[in-house]
Amino acid sequence: MRVLLLGGTTEASALARQLAAAGVTAVFSYAGRTDSPAPQPLPVRIGGFGGPEGLARYLMTEGITHVIDATHPFAATISGNAVAACAATGIPLCAHERAAWVAGEGDDWTHVADIAAAVAALPEEPTRIFLAIGRQTIDPFAAKPWHQYVLRLVDPPKGRLPLPGAEVIVARGPFDAASDQRLLAARRIKLIVAKNAGGAGARAKLDAARALRIPVVMIDRPALPPRHVTADPEGVMAFLGHPATLGV
Ligand code: 3Y8
Ligand code: NAP
């Protein structure tokens, strides 16, 4: 068995620990989006494969027997490529996908379909807005430059940001609700824009928003092609034929 683990999430890192502890031969793959990705207890490769064809070629030349897609729900391209490459090569694929967040008591969420709809949903009057969606999708918000934006990025921005007046917080999660509550209160944030990432690593801002009664524009995740999906590491280990998972 030789597993390709498409990573970049809290769940992928947890899975990497389980695979390493179980002695499974696996390689962890990052896209190379950040300056210094977290180390992993598996051999790591960094960078794109060159589209679905490049990924299929990689699977064949590296003798991969199983692919686990534990990427972020908004990483729709790599997930689509994995479906195509595994279909083309006949290599089994399992997606490890965390459930979407659901609004609870005290939450004030407006669901929108995508980034453009999130921009359209912003108020007209100047507002202090926490854009907790990273770097790759902030350009469209330049259509409404009159807001005071606070951005949270993994790495210091290289070059000019599309929102020149924005305040930048450089931080990598997972985050905690107490510090996010302090951040939101100190910056008098009146609205949060978030992607429905699910999982624990990014939900702190939502717990903080609930406590501070701050409304959230929640971007729903993109549709993905049909594939075998499991929401828990036990499902992944069963997919690999390792029924027991080690509590690591
Ligand atoms: C490069 C790997 C781990 C994984 C940690 C999770 C949790 C912390 C919360 C906020 C939201 C955001 C962003 C976020 C979180 C985890 C997880 C998660 C959101 C790292 C990582 C990589 C990336 C890429 C980066 C994106 C950006 C998105 C920041 C490592 C730290 C906003 C997603 O500058 C850039 O180009 C950044 C790009 C894709 C979204 C975007 O469009 O900008 N993640 N994040 C992965 C690779 O190269 O393959 O550097 O160690 C991983 C994590 N980020 O092992 O503990 O599992 O979700 N990541 C979102 O949810 O909206 C921050 O600020 O509240
Ligand atoms: P994406 O838009 O789906 O992918 C764009 C291209 O990046 C892919 O076609 C592929 O290039 C390369 N790529 C993406 N993930 C890769 C991986 N794990 N290993 C190797 N190549 C990869 O991806 P994204 O949204 O930019 O996310 C990139 C990474 O950040 C993923 O690992 C994801 O899990 C992580 N992440 C993303 C978000 C988010 O909000 N999007 C949040 C947290 C973590 P080629 O076509 O050349 O193969």
Side-chain angles (χ1 to χ4, degrees), residues 1 21 29 38-39 44 47 68 82 85 97 99 112 117 119 123 128 134 149 151 169 181 190 199 205 211 230 246:
M1 172 181 285
S29 182
V44 171
I68 299 169
E97 196 174 84
V112 295
V119 177
R128 296 187 58 78
Y149 293 106
L151 309 178
I169 299 169
Q181 195 168 326
K190 295 291 178 270
K205 57 185 175 282
T230 175
L246 297 122

PDB file of all heavy atoms in Angstrom, residues 1 21 29 38-39 44 47 68 82 85 97 99 112 117 119 123 128 134 149 151 169 181 190 199 205 211 230 246:
ATOM      1  N   MET A   1       0.855  -1.208   0.000  1.00  0.00           N
ATOM      2  CA  MET A   1       0.000   0.000   0.000  1.00  0.00           C
ATOM      3  C   MET A   1       0.878   1.241   0.000  1.00  0.00           C
ATOM      4  O   MET A   1       1.871   1.290   0.724  1.00  0.00           O
ATOM      5  CB  MET A   1      -0.885  -0.001   1.262  1.00  0.00           C
ATOM      6  CG  MET A   1      -1.676   1.297   1.477  1.00  0.00           C
ATOM      7  SD  MET A   1      -2.671   1.238   2.978  1.00  0.00           S
ATOM      8  CE  MET A   1      -3.984   0.171   2.439  1.00  0.00           C
ATOM      9  N   ALA A  21       1.512   6.542  12.643  1.00  0.00           N
ATOM     10  CA  ALA A  21       1.495   5.642  13.824  1.00  0.00           C
ATOM     11  C   ALA A  21       1.138   4.212  13.424  1.00  0.00           C
ATOM     12  O   ALA A  21       1.597   3.244  14.022  1.00  0.00           O
ATOM     13  CB  ALA A  21       0.495   6.165  14.849  1.00  0.00           C
ATOM     14  N   SER A  29       0.791  15.766   0.759  1.00  0.00           N
ATOM     15  CA  SER A  29       0.947  16.757  -0.309  1.00  0.00           C
ATOM     16  C   SER A  29       0.355  18.107   0.056  1.00  0.00           C
ATOM     17  O   SER A  29      -0.817  18.207   0.445  1.00  0.00           O
ATOM     18  CB  SER A  29       0.271  16.246  -1.585  1.00  0.00           C
ATOM     19  OG  SER A  29       0.451  17.184  -2.629  1.00  0.00           O
ATOM     20  N   ALA A  38       3.098  23.588   7.989  1.00  0.00           N
ATOM     21  CA  ALA A  38       3.380  22.807   9.204  1.00  0.00           C
ATOM     22  C   ALA A  38       4.100  21.504   8.833  1.00  0.00           C
ATOM     23  O   ALA A  38       3.753  20.858   7.833  1.00  0.00           O
ATOM     24  CB  ALA A  38       2.061  22.490   9.912  1.00  0.00           C
ATOM     25  N   PRO A  39       5.097  21.130   9.612  1.00  0.00           N
ATOM     26  CA  PRO A  39       5.774  19.845   9.342  1.00  0.00           C
ATOM     27  C   PRO A  39       4.804  18.681   9.558  1.00  0.00           C
ATOM     28  O   PRO A  39       3.808  18.820  10.259  1.00  0.00           O
ATOM     29  CB  PRO A  39       6.911  19.811  10.368  1.00  0.00           C
ATOM     30  CG  PRO A  39       6.557  20.803  11.413  1.00  0.00           C
ATOM     31  CD  PRO A  39       5.632  21.808  10.800  1.00  0.00           C
ATOM     32  N   VAL A  44       6.845  14.658   2.808  1.00  0.00           N
ATOM     33  CA  VAL A  44       6.005  15.741   2.280  1.00  0.00           C
ATOM     34  C   VAL A  44       6.470  16.108   0.875  1.00  0.00           C
ATOM     35  O   VAL A  44       7.670  16.167   0.604  1.00  0.00           O
ATOM     36  CB  VAL A  44       6.097  16.988   3.200  1.00  0.00           C
ATOM     37  CG1 VAL A  44       5.413  18.201   2.555  1.00  0.00           C
ATOM     38  CG2 VAL A  44       5.443  16.686   4.550  1.00  0.00           C
ATOM     39  N   GLY A  47       3.655  21.488  -3.936  1.00  0.00           N
ATOM     40  CA  GLY A  47       3.499  22.046  -5.283  1.00  0.00           C
ATOM     41  C   GLY A  47       2.417  21.318  -6.054  1.00  0.00           C
ATOM     42  O   GLY A  47       2.038  20.189  -5.707  1.00  0.00           O
ATOM     43  N   ILE A  68      -6.219   9.791  -0.593  1.00  0.00           N
ATOM     44  CA  ILE A  68      -7.142  10.385   0.388  1.00  0.00           C
ATOM     45  C   ILE A  68      -7.160  11.890   0.141  1.00  0.00           C
ATOM     46  O   ILE A  68      -6.105  12.541   0.171  1.00  0.00           O
ATOM     47  CB  ILE A  68      -6.662  10.118   1.831  1.00  0.00           C
ATOM     48  CG1 ILE A  68      -6.612   8.614   2.095  1.00  0.00           C
ATOM     49  CG2 ILE A  68      -7.614  10.792   2.828  1.00  0.00           C
ATOM     50  CD1 ILE A  68      -5.907   8.263   3.386  1.00  0.00           C
ATOM     51  N   ALA A  82      -8.642  15.225  -8.393  1.00  0.00           N
ATOM     52  CA  ALA A  82      -8.438  13.904  -7.767  1.00  0.00           C
ATOM     53  C   ALA A  82      -9.495  12.915  -8.264  1.00  0.00           C
ATOM     54  O   ALA A  82      -9.174  11.757  -8.573  1.00  0.00           O
ATOM     55  CB  ALA A  82      -8.489  14.033  -6.241  1.00  0.00           C
ATOM     56  N   ALA A  85      -8.447  12.071 -11.903  1.00  0.00           N
ATOM     57  CA  ALA A  85      -7.210  11.276 -12.000  1.00  0.00           C
ATOM     58  C   ALA A  85      -7.439   9.855 -11.482  1.00  0.00           C
ATOM     59  O   ALA A  85      -6.931   8.878 -12.049  1.00  0.00           O
ATOM     60  CB  ALA A  85      -6.089  11.956 -11.212  1.00  0.00           C
ATOM     61  N   GLU A  97     -14.119  14.643   4.450  1.00  0.00           N
ATOM     62  CA  GLU A  97     -14.747  15.967   4.382  1.00  0.00           C
ATOM     63  C   GLU A  97     -15.440  16.277   5.698  1.00  0.00           C
ATOM     64  O   GLU A  97     -16.250  15.478   6.168  1.00  0.00           O
ATOM     65  CB  GLU A  97     -15.780  15.948   3.252  1.00  0.00           C
ATOM     66  CG  GLU A  97     -16.257  17.296   2.790  1.00  0.00           C
ATOM     67  CD  GLU A  97     -17.175  17.133   1.572  1.00  0.00           C
ATOM     68  OE1 GLU A  97     -18.372  16.886   1.780  1.00  0.00           O
ATOM     69  OE2 GLU A  97     -16.671  17.216   0.445  1.00  0.00           O
ATOM     70  N   ALA A  99     -18.114  18.147   8.173  1.00  0.00           N
ATOM     71  CA  ALA A  99     -19.487  18.639   7.963  1.00  0.00           C
ATOM     72  C   ALA A  99     -19.497  20.172   7.943  1.00  0.00           C
ATOM     73  O   ALA A  99     -18.668  20.820   8.590  1.00  0.00           O
ATOM     74  CB  ALA A  99     -20.373  18.135   9.099  1.00  0.00           C
ATOM     75  N   VAL A 112     -24.746  32.881   1.601  1.00  0.00           N
ATOM     76  CA  VAL A 112     -24.610  33.308   0.203  1.00  0.00           C
ATOM     77  C   VAL A 112     -23.896  32.189  -0.562  1.00  0.00           C
ATOM     78  O   VAL A 112     -23.193  31.374   0.043  1.00  0.00           O
ATOM     79  CB  VAL A 112     -23.830  34.635   0.089  1.00  0.00           C
ATOM     80  CG1 VAL A 112     -24.605  35.790   0.732  1.00  0.00           C
ATOM     81  CG2 VAL A 112     -22.438  34.505   0.702  1.00  0.00           C
ATOM     82  N   ALA A 117     -21.521  36.860  -4.348  1.00  0.00           N
ATOM     83  CA  ALA A 117     -22.767  37.071  -3.588  1.00  0.00           C
ATOM     84  C   ALA A 117     -22.456  37.651  -2.206  1.00  0.00           C
ATOM     85  O   ALA A 117     -23.242  38.421  -1.644  1.00  0.00           O
ATOM     86  CB  ALA A 117     -23.518  35.745  -3.460  1.00  0.00           C
ATOM     87  N   VAL A 119     -20.014  39.772  -1.576  1.00  0.00           N
ATOM     88  CA  VAL A 119     -19.770  41.211  -1.809  1.00  0.00           C
ATOM     89  C   VAL A 119     -21.112  41.932  -1.959  1.00  0.00           C
ATOM     90  O   VAL A 119     -21.363  42.966  -1.341  1.00  0.00           O
ATOM     91  CB  VAL A 119     -18.889  41.434  -3.055  1.00  0.00           C
ATOM     92  CG1 VAL A 119     -18.707  42.932  -3.324  1.00  0.00           C
ATOM     93  CG2 VAL A 119     -17.524  40.767  -2.887  1.00  0.00           C
ATOM     94  N   PRO A 123     -23.384  45.663   3.456  1.00  0.00           N
ATOM     95  CA  PRO A 123     -24.227  46.859   3.571  1.00  0.00           C
ATOM     96  C   PRO A 123     -23.701  47.999   2.701  1.00  0.00           C
ATOM     97  O   PRO A 123     -22.540  47.967   2.264  1.00  0.00           O
ATOM     98  CB  PRO A 123     -24.125  47.217   5.052  1.00  0.00           C
ATOM     99  CG  PRO A 123     -22.891  46.558   5.555  1.00  0.00           C
ATOM    100  CD  PRO A 123     -22.679  45.343   4.697  1.00  0.00           C
ATOM    101  N   ARG A 128     -17.280  48.286   9.577  1.00  0.00           N
ATOM    102  CA  ARG A 128     -16.021  47.624   9.933  1.00  0.00           C
ATOM    103  C   ARG A 128     -16.244  46.120   9.788  1.00  0.00           C
ATOM    104  O   ARG A 128     -17.024  45.517  10.521  1.00  0.00           O
ATOM    105  CB  ARG A 128     -15.607  48.001  11.360  1.00  0.00           C
ATOM    106  CG  ARG A 128     -15.312  49.496  11.523  1.00  0.00           C
ATOM    107  CD  ARG A 128     -14.735  49.836  12.884  1.00  0.00           C
ATOM    108  NE  ARG A 128     -13.506  49.084  13.135  1.00  0.00           N
ATOM    109  CZ  ARG A 128     -12.322  49.397  12.612  1.00  0.00           C
ATOM    110  NH1 ARG A 128     -12.226  50.436  11.799  1.00  0.00           N
ATOM    111  NH2 ARG A 128     -11.256  48.675  12.874  1.00  0.00           N
ATOM    112  N   GLY A 134      -9.024  34.572   4.035  1.00  0.00           N
ATOM    113  CA  GLY A 134      -7.677  34.398   3.483  1.00  0.00           C
ATOM    114  C   GLY A 134      -7.337  35.450   2.451  1.00  0.00           C
ATOM    115  O   GLY A 134      -7.914  36.526   2.416  1.00  0.00           O
ATOM    116  N   TYR A 149     -11.945  47.272   6.200  1.00  0.00           N
ATOM    117  CA  TYR A 149     -11.742  45.826   6.234  1.00  0.00           C
ATOM    118  C   TYR A 149     -10.598  45.452   7.179  1.00  0.00           C
ATOM    119  O   TYR A 149      -9.567  46.119   7.210  1.00  0.00           O
ATOM    120  CB  TYR A 149     -11.403  45.301   4.831  1.00  0.00           C
ATOM    121  CG  TYR A 149     -12.544  45.408   3.829  1.00  0.00           C
ATOM    122  CD1 TYR A 149     -12.523  46.364   2.821  1.00  0.00           C
ATOM    123  CD2 TYR A 149     -13.637  44.550   3.890  1.00  0.00           C
ATOM    124  CE1 TYR A 149     -13.565  46.462   1.904  1.00  0.00           C
ATOM    125  CE2 TYR A 149     -14.682  44.635   2.972  1.00  0.00           C
ATOM    126  CZ  TYR A 149     -14.636  45.587   1.981  1.00  0.00           C
ATOM    127  OH  TYR A 149     -15.662  45.689   1.067  1.00  0.00           O
ATOM    128  N   LEU A 151      -8.292  42.089   7.609  1.00  0.00           N
ATOM    129  CA  LEU A 151      -8.001  40.805   6.941  1.00  0.00           C
ATOM    130  C   LEU A 151      -7.162  39.940   7.873  1.00  0.00           C
ATOM    131  O   LEU A 151      -6.336  40.461   8.633  1.00  0.00           O
ATOM    132  CB  LEU A 151      -7.177  41.043   5.663  1.00  0.00           C
ATOM    133  CG  LEU A 151      -7.668  42.068   4.654  1.00  0.00           C
ATOM    134  CD1 LEU A 151      -6.670  42.162   3.506  1.00  0.00           C
ATOM    135  CD2 LEU A 151      -9.045  41.700   4.136  1.00  0.00           C
ATOM    136  N   ILE A 169      -3.967  41.268   9.730  1.00  0.00           N
ATOM    137  CA  ILE A 169      -3.494  40.489  10.882  1.00  0.00           C
ATOM    138  C   ILE A 169      -2.835  39.244  10.299  1.00  0.00           C
ATOM    139  O   ILE A 169      -3.458  38.521   9.515  1.00  0.00           O
ATOM    140  CB  ILE A 169      -4.679  40.082  11.789  1.00  0.00           C
ATOM    141  CG1 ILE A 169      -5.373  41.329  12.328  1.00  0.00           C
ATOM    142  CG2 ILE A 169      -4.219  39.169  12.911  1.00  0.00           C
ATOM    143  CD1 ILE A 169      -6.704  41.035  12.999  1.00  0.00           C
ATOM    144  N   GLN A 181     -12.580  36.654  20.086  1.00  0.00           N
ATOM    145  CA  GLN A 181     -13.539  37.615  20.670  1.00  0.00           C
ATOM    146  C   GLN A 181     -12.811  38.920  21.009  1.00  0.00           C
ATOM    147  O   GLN A 181     -13.319  40.019  20.711  1.00  0.00           O
ATOM    148  CB  GLN A 181     -14.180  37.012  21.925  1.00  0.00           C
ATOM    149  CG  GLN A 181     -15.435  37.785  22.358  1.00  0.00           C
ATOM    150  CD  GLN A 181     -16.251  37.056  23.399  1.00  0.00           C
ATOM    151  OE1 GLN A 181     -16.332  35.818  23.394  1.00  0.00           O
ATOM    152  NE2 GLN A 181     -16.861  37.806  24.290  1.00  0.00           N
ATOM    153  N   LYS A 190     -18.246  44.926  12.959  1.00  0.00           N
ATOM    154  CA  LYS A 190     -19.706  44.904  12.943  1.00  0.00           C
ATOM    155  C   LYS A 190     -20.264  43.825  12.008  1.00  0.00           C
ATOM    156  O   LYS A 190     -21.463  43.567  11.945  1.00  0.00           O
ATOM    157  CB  LYS A 190     -20.250  46.280  12.492  1.00  0.00           C
ATOM    158  CG  LYS A 190     -19.922  47.395  13.487  1.00  0.00           C
ATOM    159  CD  LYS A 190     -20.706  47.227  14.798  1.00  0.00           C
ATOM    160  CE  LYS A 190     -20.352  48.294  15.830  1.00  0.00           C
ATOM    161  NZ  LYS A 190     -19.213  47.810  16.677  1.00  0.00           N
ATOM    162  N   GLY A 199     -15.349  22.044  10.455  1.00  0.00           N
ATOM    163  CA  GLY A 199     -14.186  21.681  11.258  1.00  0.00           C
ATOM    164  C   GLY A 199     -14.016  22.618  12.441  1.00  0.00           C
ATOM    165  O   GLY A 199     -14.781  23.571  12.637  1.00  0.00           O
ATOM    166  N   LYS A 205     -14.026  32.139  15.242  1.00  0.00           N
ATOM    167  CA  LYS A 205     -14.611  33.454  14.953  1.00  0.00           C
ATOM    168  C   LYS A 205     -16.138  33.421  15.016  1.00  0.00           C
ATOM    169  O   LYS A 205     -16.780  34.420  15.335  1.00  0.00           O
ATOM    170  CB  LYS A 205     -14.162  33.954  13.597  1.00  0.00           C
ATOM    171  CG  LYS A 205     -14.480  33.018  12.445  1.00  0.00           C
ATOM    172  CD  LYS A 205     -13.879  33.531  11.148  1.00  0.00           C
ATOM    173  CE  LYS A 205     -14.097  32.542  10.021  1.00  0.00           C
ATOM    174  NZ  LYS A 205     -13.192  31.397  10.054  1.00  0.00           N
ATOM    175  N   ALA A 211     -21.102  35.354  20.647  1.00  0.00           N
ATOM    176  CA  ALA A 211     -20.997  36.008  21.969  1.00  0.00           C
ATOM    177  C   ALA A 211     -21.157  37.513  21.842  1.00  0.00           C
ATOM    178  O   ALA A 211     -21.760  38.167  22.695  1.00  0.00           O
ATOM    179  CB  ALA A 211     -19.647  35.666  22.595  1.00  0.00           C
ATOM    180  N   THR A 230     -16.051  10.314   3.590  1.00  0.00           N
ATOM    181  CA  THR A 230     -16.262   9.956   4.992  1.00  0.00           C
ATOM    182  C   THR A 230     -15.998  11.191   5.835  1.00  0.00           C
ATOM    183  O   THR A 230     -15.183  12.030   5.462  1.00  0.00           O
ATOM    184  CB  THR A 230     -15.336   8.794   5.420  1.00  0.00           C
ATOM    185  OG1 THR A 230     -15.507   8.581   6.824  1.00  0.00           O
ATOM    186  CG2 THR A 230     -13.868   9.126   5.180  1.00  0.00           C
ATOM    187  N   LEU A 246      -5.679   4.211  15.639  1.00  0.00           N
ATOM    188  CA  LEU A 246      -4.939   4.402  16.899  1.00  0.00           C
ATOM    189  C   LEU A 246      -5.299   5.768  17.462  1.00  0.00           C
ATOM    190  O   LEU A 246      -5.337   6.740  16.731  1.00  0.00           O
ATOM    191  CB  LEU A 246      -3.431   4.312  16.600  1.00  0.00           C
ATOM    192  CG  LEU A 246      -3.087   2.905  16.075  1.00  0.00           C
ATOM    193  CD1 LEU A 246      -2.456   2.996  14.712  1.00  0.00           C
ATOM    194  CD2 LEU A 246      -2.181   2.197  17.053  1.00  0.00           C
TER     195      LEU A 246
END
